[in-house]
Amino acid sequence: MATIAVPIGTQAEQREAEAVRRPALSEYLRWSVDHKIIGVQYGISSFLFFLVGGAMAMGIRLELLTPGLDLMVSGSAYNSLFTMHGTVMIFLFIIPMWAAFGNFVVPLQLGAKDMAFPWLNAFAFWLIPPAAIIILMGYFVTPAEAGWTAYPPLSTLFSGDGQTLWALGAHLLGISSIMGSINFIVTILNMRPEGMTLWRMPLLCWAVLATSIIAVMATPFLAGALTLLLLDRVAGTTFFDAAGGGDVLLWQNIFWFYSHPAVYIMVLPGMGVLSEVLSIHSRKPVFGYRMVGLSSMGIAFVGFTVWAHHMFTSLQPELRIPFMITTMIIAVPTGIKMFSWLGTIWGGKIRFTSAMLFALGFLSMFVIGGITGVMLAALPFDIHVHDTYFVVSHFHFVLFGGSVFAIYAALYHWFPKVTGRMMNERLGRIHFVFTYFGFLFTFFPMHIVGMLGMPRRVAVYDPAFTQWNQLIGIAAFVLGFSTFIVVYNVIHSYFRGPVAGANPWRALTLEWATTSPPPVTNFIDDPIPYEDPYGYGTEAATAYLDAVDETFRNGAPASSR
């Protein structure tokens, strides 16, 4: 039977120690070493960049409503628009947003009072605003227009000073990512409480650990490539200039050696979120817990062996088959997760909360992205659809259908813990419907136009694709509108949402064993984790949750065993 370890001290002392206040908004605008403040700083800034990147996406779809140039004054203006859209969404939204949830939730799940290196944690965040300013300053000179991949010679010979600023800003973002990842690794491996072995650790922590290992190992390669690019641009070197003895394909190899593992930097935390949300909201233990944890590490390992599938059309023929095989192999650990999640919800008492709906949306969309990924792993098909909208569709089904749907699931799930308030579930369901169908009808038709031959990265296209692009454009505007729903829901719920209580979802992981929002030190005493973080459906778990609820009603948040 679960027991509750009540903190030592009088009830009055406990209530005073645990008096919870939400931080003033001004606290999020200055330096702080509190991991919870830093997590919210990451989250708010990342979401603002999401709005910027989304506005750029709306500009792209406006331009593509007709075959000719309308909104853009030139092809270069369109090039800079989709370059900045990709850069903002990947480097300034998705990756930092996962750092937001990791910072806020992981120390709480581990029962820690903070991250291992609080000062380094704050420094990693405060590198992001100047990096973003440097990148966006390109619009005041000549903006980068070589795409978010920055392939030479486009990024060395045919792009203006904004490309130099782009590379400098990306450098700072890489330093930030490395610092944050080192912090996560040390925190997860060294700051678990007594009783929490690796095999009792929440699966979000497993996912963040695998993500951080990828970032620490891969990001220095991007830093090296950016250094060479900057030297080519400002110092006259010719690392990527064939005329000067360099090799254009050198950039592609180094860039994709980072950037394909970086896809899993953007997706693996979302997979960790899925394991939390699906288990809690279906009241079922995670099916195959150990295999789910190990599959995260498997993805991290195999992810370093597939980078050259981005280069099938430029790769030496004898190297194509090995990379085709490794690309197909990486579907195995991902498939393990998919079947585990299906086994988790099978026969469960599913509550269709907003978090659960977005988690299920992730499942359906990511499966489509995975299937098209296997299609692109097949060498003949990949060459046929290379640089077409089929690739754009696949990419967005993985990153929006995967990462963004999981981000929304995490937002609805942990918003009560962050703010002490519940989000409006009715608005959440409306948000899900607009997002789901807006996204589906935006990106699924791109498979068709891609196979029909419409190239990506062009503003002027064959008029035969006009109706397809108009359908895609209308759906994209619906998807864009959905964002205003969640913005309103967040703001309204922060000020007027129902009080959440400590554990509104009746979950077993440690972040729910303290108040909402948590106090500065997270817990009054050293928390003791429950024996199984996903042990729902047992009498012991029910007794434990009832005891926790009773303890909070009596005014004394508790540690758990």
Side-chain angles (χ1 to χ4, degrees):
M1 169 116 13
T3 60
I4 302 298
V6 180
I8 299 174
T10 67
Q11 289 290 316
E13 290 172 338
Q14 290 165 357
R15 290 192 180 97
E16 181 179 356
E18 197 63 19
V20 177
R21 67 173 184 86
R22 292 196 294 185
L25 293 178
S26 61
E27 293 185 46
Y28 298 114
L29 301 177
R30 59 177 184 258
W31 179 278
S32 173
V33 294
D34 185 341
H35 73 95
K36 299 180 292 297
I37 297 288
I38 295 170
V40 175
Q41 288 173 329
Y42 267 110
I44 293 175
S45 61
S46 299
F47 197 83
L48 290 176
F49 288 122
F50 178 53
L51 298 179
V52 173
M56 293 175 176
M58 294 302 99
I60 292 171
R61 295 319 313 177
L62 275 173
E63 177 57 59
L64 293 176
L65 286 175
T66 63
L69 283 175
D70 298 308
L71 185 65
M72 302 291 112
V73 296
S74 66
S76 293
Y78 180 79
N79 292 345
S80 64
L81 183 63
F82 75 73
T83 296
M84 288 299 183
H85 164 72
T87 300
V88 168
M89 287 300 206
I90 292 171
F91 296 119
L92 296 176
F93 167 54
I94 295 179
I95 294 176
M97 183 59 83
W98 285 132
F101 288 107
N103 266 283
F104 196 99
V105 177
V106 166
L108 289 171
Q109 286 195 332
L110 296 175
K113 297 187 183 299
D114 209 313
M115 295 283 281
F117 308 117
W119 191 93
L120 188 69
N121 198 22
F123 188 65
F125 167 74
W126 284 104
L127 282 176
I128 294 177
I133 292 171
I134 290 171
I135 290 172
L136 295 175
M137 277 177 57
Y139 275 110
F140 295 98
V141 284
T142 307
E145 54 176 299
W148 76 274
T149 57
Y151 277 13
L154 294 176
S155 58
T156 53
L157 303 179
F158 304 107
S159 194
D161 292 338
Q163 193 72 50
T164 303
L165 295 174
W166 180 94
L168 287 170
H171 241 313
L172 289 179
L173 293 173
I175 295 170
S176 170
S177 180
I178 292 171
M179 288 179 174
S181 297
I182 292 172
N183 214 346
F184 278 124
I185 293 171
V186 176
T187 300
I188 292 170
L189 293 182
N190 293 329
M191 299 187 68
R192 299 189 312 278
E194 183 180 355
M196 184 181 286
T197 65
L198 285 175
W199 297 119
R200 288 186 177 180
M201 191 166 66
L203 287 168
L204 176 64
C205 297
W206 272 101
V208 171
L209 176 62
T211 302
S212 301
I213 291 171
I214 293 173
V216 168
M217 293 178 64
T219 308
F221 286 88
L222 177 65
L226 289 169
T227 300
L228 300 182
L229 180 66
L230 285 168
L231 290 173
D232 273 15
R233 289 191 57 84
V234 303
T237 58
T238 57
F239 291 107
F240 305 119
D241 184 1
D247 186 354
V248 173
L249 296 184
L250 175 63
W251 169 268
Q252 292 187 28
N253 277 282
I254 302 176
F255 178 83
W256 286 116
F257 189 78
Y258 160 79
S259 291
H260 194 87
V263 170
Y264 304 110
I265 293 174
M266 293 179 270
V267 171
L268 271 173
M271 292 178 168
V273 169
L274 261 284
S275 296
E276 305 291 329
V277 172
L278 292 177
S279 176
I280 291 171
H281 293 268
S282 62
R283 312 310 295 172
K284 282 278 300 297
V286 172
F287 182 82
Y289 165 87
R290 291 200 175 199
M291 290 304 296
V292 176
L294 289 174
S295 66
S296 294
M297 306 308 293
I299 289 172
F301 173 75
V302 181
F304 283 95
T305 69
V306 303
W307 80 91
H309 71 220
H310 295 274
M311 303 167 53
F312 274 157
T313 56
S314 60
L315 199 64
Q316 294 179 358
E318 60 270 20
L319 294 177
R320 290 173 173 175
I321 300 301
F323 283 103
M324 180 177 75
I325 293 172
T326 57
T327 303
M328 291 184 175
I329 288 174
I330 204 168
V332 174
T334 305
I336 289 172
K337 290 182 181 293
M338 291 293 172
F339 285 109
S340 168
W341 293 329
L342 291 175
T344 299
I345 63 177
W346 183 267
K349 296 179 180 179
I350 298 175
R351 298 176 291 180
F352 289 102
T353 61
S354 301
M356 188 66 167
L357 289 173
F358 276 104
L360 295 173
F362 173 105
L363 272 177
S364 60
M365 297 301 183
F366 196 80
V367 164
I368 295 174
I371 291 171
T372 56
V374 173
M375 294 170 67
L376 289 169
L379 181 59
F381 184 82
D382 182 272
I383 292 175
H384 174 66
V385 298
H386 181 75
D387 261 347
T388 70
Y389 263 79
F390 190 95
V391 179
V392 176
S393 180
H394 160 72
F395 188 71
H396 283 83
F397 266 93
V398 170
L399 290 187
F400 196 111
S403 297
V404 180
F405 271 74
I407 285 169
Y408 282 143
L411 173 64
Y412 284 100
H413 183 69
W414 279 296
F415 185 87
K417 181 55 58 179
V418 175
T419 66
R421 303 278 181 168
M422 299 296 293
M423 291 187 73
N424 186 299
E425 284 293 320
R426 183 169 179 270
L427 283 177
R429 293 186 182 99
I430 294 172
H431 173 222
F432 170 76
V433 170
F434 276 89
T435 303
Y436 190 90
F437 289 102
F439 173 80
L440 184 64
F441 286 101
T442 297
F443 292 103
F444 194 84
M446 291 184 186
H447 292 116
I448 300 172
V449 296
M451 287 190 287
L452 291 175
M454 181 173 171
R456 60 175 174 167
R457 304 192 184 106
V458 295
V460 179
Y461 57 84
D462 189 328
F465 298 115
T466 301
Q467 291 184 338
W468 282 110
N469 278 292
Q470 288 174 346
L471 169 64
I472 292 169
I474 293 170
F477 300 143
V478 172
L479 179 59
F481 170 76
S482 71
T483 310
F484 293 102
I485 300 174
V486 70
V487 169
Y488 173 80
N489 199 353
V490 167
I491 295 174
H492 181 269
S493 298
Y494 181 84
F495 292 103
R496 298 189 178 181
V499 175
N503 192 2
W505 309 128
R506 288 179 63 80
L508 294 171
T509 46
L510 277 179
E511 77 268 30
W512 303 103
T514 185
T515 54
S516 302
V520 173
T521 56
N522 294 344
F523 303 90
I524 290 180
D525 63 343
D526 294 329
I528 306 170
Y530 183 69
E531 58 189 13
D532 182 357
Y534 306 106
Y536 301 104
T538 65
E539 291 184 4
T542 302
Y544 160 72
L545 291 170
D546 290 341
V548 170
D549 290 343
E550 181 64 26
T551 304
F552 275 99
R553 279 195 294 269
N554 292 335
S559 305
S560 57
R561 176 162 53 226

